[in-house]
Amino acid sequence: MSQPHSPPPPPAQPQPPNMTDLLKKPRRIALGCEGSANKLGIGIILHENDTSTVLSNIRHTFVSPPGTGFLPKDTAAHHRSFFVRIALQALRVANITIPDIDCICYTRGPGMGAPLTSVAIAARTLSLLWNKPLVGVNHCVGHIEMGRAITGASHPVVLYVSGGNTQVIAYAEQRYRIFGEALDIAVGNCLDRFARTLEISNDPAPGYNIEQLAKQGGRILLDLPYAVKGMDCSFSGILTRADELAAHMKSGGKGPDGEAFTPADLCFSLQETIFAMLVEITERAMAHVGSSQVLIVGGVGCNERLQEMMGAMAAERGGSVYATDERFCIDNGIMIAHAGLLAYETGFQTPIEESTCTQRFRTDEVLVKWRK
Amino acid sequence: MTEPATEFPPPKILTLSPAHKPILITQGAEGRLYKTPSPFQPDQFCALKYRPPKPYRHPILDARLTKARISSEAKVLDRCYREGVPVPAVLAKDAAAGWMMIEWIEGEPVRVGINKWLGERPEDDAVVDHSQEDETPLIDLMKRIGVAVGALHRTGVVHGDLTTSNMMLRPWADDRLPNGHGDKAEKAKAVAGDVVVIDFGLAMQSQSDEDRAVDLYVLERAFASTHPRAERLFHHILDSYRGAFKKAPGVLHKLEDVRMRGRKRSMLG
C-alpha cells in the first residue's frame, strides 16, 4: 500500500486498555472500514455517554458501465486503490488525531470475497501501524445498529434489503433473529440485474434509476409472479418473467391491453410487485412478534416508494416506519464503526491472527451483548 | 397476535343483517376472523374469514391476490372435507369480495387444552417425576394429532403453518367424556375432544416428502417452543402419524434432513 501522505507514526501505545478503563473514558472513538460490495466506506464515530456522533462518513463507489455488473476482481482493485485516500479524508473531516482512536473496525462478512479481503488487509495494516485493537463486524448487524441509532427506533422489526440480502429480522434474547428471508436471489440483485437487462445506468445506483423511471410508469400494471411463502419470498422467477417481458417489448410486442408498453411500465410493475411482497412478509413478522415499529435498512431501503408502502401498512397497524437516507442506507463505513464500537465496549475484539473475513456470515450468528 | 389498533369496519356481507353484530375473533396479518350467526341455519354460528384490501398494494395486484388466496384456501378445505380430514366445511364464498364462510368449530385450541393439562407446575422440568403420573389422556391427544396430520398429508395437502394454535379440540358428547370427578378427571377433560385442523391460509397441494417433512418440522418447532414441558412426548405424534399414513416412512426419513439443516440457509453477500 502506498502512502504518499502517511500520518506521523504514533507513540507506542499500550495494547488495548482493559474494559473498565475504556468505559471510564468519556469519549470513545472507532474507525470503521466497509467494502463488502462495490462501495468502499470509511467512517469515524464518537460514543460519548449514551450518544453517538458521526465525525466523518466518506464513501467511494465502484460504478460499472450500463449492462454490466461489478466483478469481484475489479471491485477489489477499486477498494485497494482508493483506501488510503478515503481513510485520510475521513481522518481530516473528523478532525481527530490517531491517538484519539480506540479501535479499528472492519466488515468480516457477509459479502463478496475479493473486496472483503482487500479491506480486511487494509484494516489489519492500520491496526498494526497504529497499534490499535481490531474488531470484526457483521455487515447486517452494522446496518441494523446504524438504523436504530439514526432513527431512534427502540424495538423495531427490521427489513434489511440490499443487493445481497433480503431479511426480516427481530431482536430476541441477544440475537437478531431472522424471521423471513429471500429463498434465492436478493431483492436488490433482482433490481440490479433488471437494470442491466434494460441497460439503465449504474450511476449512482441501478435501483435509484429504476425508481426514477418507475415514476413515469403507472398506466398499466404488467402481470408478474408473486412469490411469498410464509415469511419467506423468492425473486428469481419474477426476474425471469420481467426479462421475458422486456424482450417482448424490445421486439415491438404489445401489452395485455393491446397497447405498446415502455421500460417505465416495466419498472413500475416490478417495483409494485416486489415491494408488495416485502411489505407483506414484514407485516406478518410484526403480527407475529407484536411490534408496530418497522425499520428499513440496506440500499433498497432508500427507495421512497418502498418507504411509502411500508408506511401505509404500519399506519394501519397503528405504528410507524423508520427509514434513513442514502448516507446510512447504502453501505458505509460509519455503520461498521458504530456496531464495532458497541461490541468493543462489551469487551469484544478480534485478535489479528483471527481477523479473517467470510462470504457467509448469518445475522443470527452474532451474540448481541450490548442489548438487553 | 396484536390487538387491532383501530376499529375496522366489517366486510359488507356482515352488515346486511343489522340484527346480528359480528364478533371479531382474531386479527392477524392475513385477515380477520368473525363469528356470526349462520345465514343458512340462524340458530347456529359460522365463521367468516375476511381478507381486507391492503392499502399499500396496487389495487389490481391486491384484487388478484385476494381472489386467488380465498379460492385456493376454499379449494384445499373442500378437498380435505371431501376426503374425511377433520376440517371446517366451507359454506359459502365470494373470492372477489375477499371472504369465505366456514363452519364454526366449537371448543378451544389444542394449545389451551395442553396448557391446562400441564397446569401451573415448576418451570424446571427435571424436578417433576413423570413416572408417578398417568399421562394417558395427554398421550391419546398426541396420537389424535398425529392421525389428523397423517390424514391431511394423505389427501395431498400440506398445511404450511401447523401449530397447536391451528388445531381445535371439538368437544365430545358427554357419554364419551372421561368419567369421575376431581383434579384428575378435570385434567383429562382438558385434553378430550376431536382434533380439527384450522387456518389453511398458507396451505398448498403437494405430494412431496420434502414439503410434508417441513410441515412436521414446523409443528415440532412450534410444539417445543409452546409446550417445552411436553416436548418429550412429541414422538407420540410422529408414531401415530406413521401408523395413519402409508407414505410416512419416507417423510420421516426426510424430516431427519430437514432437522439437520433447519430453515437455515447460508448467506451469500
Side-chain angles (χ1 to χ4, degrees):
Chain A
M1 204 182 315
S2 71
Q3 286 188 301
H5 307 292
S6 171
Q13 286 228 336
Q15 259 298 322
N18 73 45
M19 281 310 126
T20 40
D21 288 349
L22 177 76
L23 288 174
K24 271 188 217 146
K25 278 185 76 175
R27 291 160 58 87
R28 301 174 297 278
I29 292 179
L31 179 142
C33 312
E34 152 64 27
S36 60
N38 67 333
K39 288 96 184 169
L40 171 69
I42 297 180
I44 298 176
I45 198 145
L46 163 69
H47 284 187
E48 212 170 4
N49 302 320
D50 287 337
T51 60
S52 307
T53 312
V54 176
L55 299 180
S56 63
N57 185 18
I58 313 294
R59 175 167 57 214
H60 197 275
T61 305
F62 171 60
V63 177
S64 55
T68 66
F70 52 91
L71 297 172
K73 187 176 69 146
D74 305 337
T75 312
H78 165 269
H79 292 358
R80 284 196 297 271
S81 53
F82 278 87
F83 191 93
V84 173
R85 223 175 301 179
I86 301 298
L88 285 171
Q89 198 185 340
L91 285 170
R92 209 160 36 234
V93 171
N95 196 22
I96 55 160
T97 61
I98 288 152
D100 295 334
I101 298 174
D102 288 291
C103 60
I104 307 292
C105 311
Y106 76 101
T107 308
R108 269 205 77 204
M112 289 170 97
L116 277 174
T117 312
S118 302
V119 174
I121 289 172
R124 247 177 258 148
T125 309
L126 290 184
S127 162
L128 291 173
L129 191 66
W130 296 343
N131 194 21
K132 306 281 182 191
L134 262 180
V135 179
V137 175
N138 179 297
H139 181 86
C140 317
V141 172
H143 271 296
I144 298 168
E145 290 305 345
M146 203 62 216
R148 288 179 60 229
I150 295 291
T151 62
S154 53
H155 190 68
V157 164
V158 182
L159 177 68
Y160 170 29
V161 275
S162 68
N165 290 290
T166 309
Q167 301 179 342
V168 183
I169 301 158
Y171 174 82
E173 290 170 29
Q174 314 260 281
R175 304 253 173 207
Y176 285 112
R177 302 192 189 260
I178 302 172
F179 280 76
E181 60 192 311
L183 298 169
D184 40 52
I185 61 173
V187 60
N189 190 245
C190 176
L191 289 166
D192 290 351
R193 284 160 69 176
F194 190 61
R196 266 178 250 164
T197 303
L198 294 181
E199 293 179 62
I200 298 173
S201 166
N202 288 328
D203 186 19
Y208 177 81
N209 292 323
I210 286 185
E211 181 181 1
Q212 303 316 311
L213 206 48
K215 287 177 183 166
Q216 300 160 28
R219 185 184 62 79
I220 50 164
L221 182 80
L222 296 156
D223 214 4
L224 291 168
Y226 186 94
V228 164
K229 295 173 183 177
M231 282 192 244
D232 297 328
C233 51
S234 149
F235 297 99
S236 63
I238 298 174
L239 176 62
T240 304
R241 183 67 191 133
D243 283 350
E244 284 169 7
L245 283 170
H248 181 68
M249 175 192 72
K250 282 179 190 163
S251 63
K254 301 279 189 277
D257 58 353
E259 302 277 326
F261 57 93
T262 63
D265 294 326
L266 277 168
C267 291
F268 173 82
S269 305
L270 182 63
Q271 280 200 166
E272 288 300 312
T273 306
I274 62 182
F275 292 166
M277 291 164 52
L278 294 175
V279 177
E280 180 177 344
I281 61 171
T282 308
E283 182 173 22
R284 203 164 283 153
M286 288 167 78
H288 194 77
V289 304
S291 168
S292 60
Q293 291 184 334
V294 53
L295 170 67
I296 314 180
V297 299
V300 182
C302 294
N303 190 298
E304 289 175 356
R305 176 61 186 143
L306 174 61
Q307 294 180 6
E308 178 188 35
M309 288 167 75
M310 198 63 86
M313 181 275 285
E316 209 195 20
R317 303 190 64 81
S320 44
V321 60
Y322 295 81
T324 58
D325 60 33
E326 55 82 26
R327 290 170 300 166
F328 304 107
C329 254
I330 296 177
D331 291 351
N332 59 78
I334 198 75
M335 69 186 204
I336 301 302
H338 178 58
L341 190 51
L342 285 173
Y344 184 63
E345 285 161 352
T346 70
F348 179 86
Q349 41 179 291
T350 307
I352 195 115
E353 54 279 7
E354 291 168 26
S355 62
T356 52
C357 50
T358 168
Q359 288 169 280
R360 295 172 175 80
F361 187 4
R362 282 180 67 89
T363 315
D364 50 12
E365 284 173 41
V366 178
L367 180 65
V368 182
K369 258 175 101 177
W370 55 90
R371 281 188 74 173
K372 292 211 171 63
Chain B
M1 225 113 340
T2 44
E3 285 301 309
T6 42
E7 278 292 312
F8 295 109
K12 199 172 164 215
I13 176 78
L14 292 182
T15 61
L16 299 180
S17 157
H20 304 293
K21 201 171 182 302
I23 306 161
L24 181 61
I25 302 291
T26 58
Q27 153 74 24
E30 284 305 289
R32 304 176 209 151
L33 190 78
Y34 292 92
K35 182 180 184 180
T36 180
S38 165
F40 313 108
Q41 283 172 288
D43 59 326
Q44 287 183 12
F45 284 105
C46 70
L48 189 115
K49 185 161 183 176
Y50 175 52
R51 290 178 179 269
K54 296 287 186 188
Y56 61 82
R57 214 147 49 192
H58 190 287
I60 295 174
L61 178 62
D62 191 56
R64 187 184 110 203
L65 290 173
T66 302
K67 194 169 152 184
R69 286 173 176 181
I70 290 284
S71 298
S72 115
E73 188 173 349
K75 195 186 279 174
V76 163
L77 278 174
D78 263 343
R79 180 170 182 158
C80 290
Y81 188 74
R82 197 173 59 228
E83 304 278 335
V85 184
V87 298
V90 180
L91 306 175
K93 69 166 196 284
D94 182 344
W99 61 261
M100 66 172 181
M101 203 169 263
I102 55 178
E103 182 186 353
W104 179 259
I105 305 293
E106 290 296 337
E108 287 178 324
V110 167
R111 170 178 51 83
V112 174
I114 294 180
N115 283 341
K116 274 188 187 166
W117 168 277
L118 294 171
E120 295 298 319
R121 288 202 314 195
E123 278 306 311
D124 188 358
D125 205 29
V127 302
V128 180
D129 185 2
H130 299 290
S131 62
Q132 296 301 310
E133 195 179 9
D134 178 17
E135 293 183 311
T136 314
L138 180 58
I139 291 169
D140 283 348
L141 171 60
M142 307 289 265
K143 288 179 180 165
R144 293 198 300 281
I145 294 173
V147 170
V149 177
L152 186 73
H153 284 180
R154 197 170 54 227
T155 312
V157 169
V158 292
H159 185 276
D161 190 20
L162 279 180
T163 63
T164 49
S165 302
N166 282 339
M167 297 172 190
M168 300 293 289
L169 271 176
R170 181 160 50 197
W172 285 328
D174 283 345
D175 56 352
R176 227 187 126 182
L177 278 178
N179 294 321
H181 298 283
D183 286 355
K184 205 177 161 197
E186 283 307 312
K187 275 181 74 173
K189 277 177 191 161
V191 290
D194 287 324
V195 172
V196 181
V197 188
I198 59 165
D199 195 355
F200 284 70
L202 293 173
M204 56 176 184
Q205 310 210 20
S206 167
Q207 312 259 10
S208 91
D209 283 351
E210 164 77 20
D211 290 339
R212 287 165 172 161
V214 169
D215 228 17
L216 293 178
Y217 180 68
V218 167
L219 178 60
E220 186 173 77
R221 292 288 300 270
F223 196 90
S225 60
T226 322
H227 315 289
R229 281 179 285 155
E231 195 184 350
R232 69 201 154 76
L233 299 177
F234 186 81
H235 68 93
H236 289 291
I237 294 185
L238 298 182
D239 292 346
S240 67
Y241 175 82
R242 191 189 296 275
F245 178 36
K246 204 171 63 188
K247 291 183 178 153
V251 179
L252 293 171
H253 187 71
K254 196 85 192 172
L255 177 61
E256 304 277 321
D257 297 346
V258 176
R259 277 194 196 120
M260 290 294 286
R261 67 157 203 256
R263 273 178 68 256
K264 278 193 173 185
R265 150 179 181 267
S266 187
M267 274 174 34
L268 263 172

